Amino acid sequence: MFNRLIAAFSVGLQLTPLQARGRRNALDLKRVDIEVALPGLPPSFDGYRILQISDTHLDVLPALVDVARRVLQGVAVDLLAVTGDVHGSPSAPIAHSVELLMQALQDVRVHGPRLAILGNHDSVEMAAMLKERGFDVLVNRSRVLERGGGRLRITGLDDVHSFYTDAARAALEDEDHEGDCRIALVHSAEMADFADRAGYALYLSGHTHGGQICLPGGRPVITQLTRCRHAAVGLWREGRMTGYTSAGLGVSEPTVRFNSRGEVTIITLRRA
């Protein structure tokens, strides 16, 4: 029912001047720079820069590729984190979505790993294609980064919004992390409370597109979150944990934004 309503809304929108305005808004991409202080962050990771890219859906609106390249021109980071939904339209080839992502990122200098997780639009084949392009795809597992004697543990989950399994929670609550500062990469913010209880310092997500179509002031009309709805967009807190939900680079149908902007996000880690 929801998908049919969206389809009807999209068709009706194309008959109005709002379609052109909304498309211009969707192409008005911004770069967000934030600093996040994390308790337990090793001194060697102070100043560590993470580029978070989420919900690219570039097969839906390929014109965003050139916009993203301009916004990302000259960016150099220590870690690239793609937090799901590289794919968009079910009828589009997955390889096409991946190729467009690589075009958008081709001018970014990444000094460390390229990590990715899957979103609710990404099939299991997406993991293999991203791996071929140099990404380490974290599907309910962790990767430990070492730098100057310090350790940072990154845990990535399979999509928990549409494809939740107990393996996701088990990976999040893995007890083999004594002394590590930990970051969770989860497509949706819906595991935020579990991550806080498990002792994570930072949680990076997307999925909501920041609402994509919002009320004046940026309040989302629809978030697609079933829980942890306070974490729908931007910076938020869950207990002792800091979280950030990207508004996403791309859009889903209809290919418009109102009172929201797509983004790429550079997060600089600081010692608390």
Side-chain angles (χ1 to χ4, degrees):
M1 175 62 73
F2 177 77
N3 289 336
R4 287 199 295 269
L5 288 173
I6 291 296
F9 174 73
S10 181
V11 171
L13 193 64
Q14 292 176 17
L15 303 176
T16 75
L18 290 175
Q19 171 68 30
R21 183 190 303 175
R23 180 183 170 89
R24 288 195 298 271
N25 293 344
L27 293 172
D28 185 21
L29 197 64
K30 66 179 178 178
R31 169 176 158 176
V32 177
D33 289 85
I34 59 175
E35 291 192 351
V36 178
L38 302 184
L41 184 71
S44 55
F45 281 93
D46 187 57
Y48 195 79
R49 285 161 54 87
I50 301 172
L51 171 60
Q52 182 192 4
I53 302 286
S54 196
D55 299 87
T56 50
H57 298 300
L58 290 170
D59 57 282
V60 176
L61 189 57
L64 270 167
V65 170
D66 289 338
V67 180
R69 283 193 64 187
R70 289 196 296 271
V71 173
L72 291 167
Q73 186 70 41
V75 167
V77 293
D78 301 294
L79 169 68
L80 170 61
V82 175
T83 50
D85 274 4
V86 172
H87 199 41
S89 172
S91 62
I94 295 175
H96 181 55
S97 299
V98 174
E99 177 57 32
L100 291 173
L101 172 66
M102 300 310 297
Q103 291 177 24
L105 295 173
Q106 64 182 305
D107 299 320
V108 177
R109 289 176 292 155
V110 183
H111 301 306
R114 297 169 180 252
L115 304 181
I117 58 173
L118 301 180
N120 57 295
H121 285 266
D122 298 324
S123 66
V124 66
E125 289 80 12
M126 177 65 73
M129 290 193 178
L130 288 173
K131 185 176 180 180
E132 290 175 358
R133 297 307 188 102
F135 284 89
D136 186 2
V137 184
L138 302 180
V139 181
N140 301 328
R141 65 182 180 90
S142 298
R143 174 165 173 174
V144 176
L145 309 181
E146 297 185 352
R147 177 171 172 158
R151 287 162 55 97
L152 186 65
R153 181 179 292 267
I154 314 290
T155 302
L157 302 190
D158 196 1
D159 172 61
V160 297
H161 180 78
S162 299
F163 303 108
Y164 175 81
T165 66
D166 290 339
R169 187 166 173 181
L172 201 64
E173 297 175 348
D174 180 9
E175 296 181 357
D176 184 23
H177 50 65
E178 189 66 31
D180 291 340
C181 181
R182 286 175 291 156
I183 297 175
L185 305 180
V186 191
H187 181 58
S188 166
E190 290 163 306
M191 295 289 282
D193 49 349
F194 294 114
D196 172 57
R197 288 198 290 270
Y200 283 78
L202 180 63
Y203 186 114
L204 301 181
S205 63
H207 180 60
T208 66
H209 298 190
Q212 190 168 318
I213 297 175
C214 299
L215 299 174
R219 183 176 179 180
V221 177
I222 298 172
T223 67
Q224 296 281 17
L225 296 181
T226 58
R227 56 196 313 275
C228 301
R229 292 178 179 174
H230 66 284
V233 61
L235 274 172
W236 44 269
R237 295 283 297 183
E238 176 69 40
R240 296 168 296 174
M241 182 181 72
T242 299
Y244 189 82
T245 300
S246 170
L249 188 154
V251 292
S252 55
E253 293 289 352
T255 56
V256 298
R257 282 186 182 267
F258 292 105
N259 299 313
S260 74
R261 290 179 70 185
E263 67 179 65
V264 301
T265 313
I266 298 176
I267 302 162
T268 302
L269 305 185
R270 296 296 184 189
R271 284 172 55 80

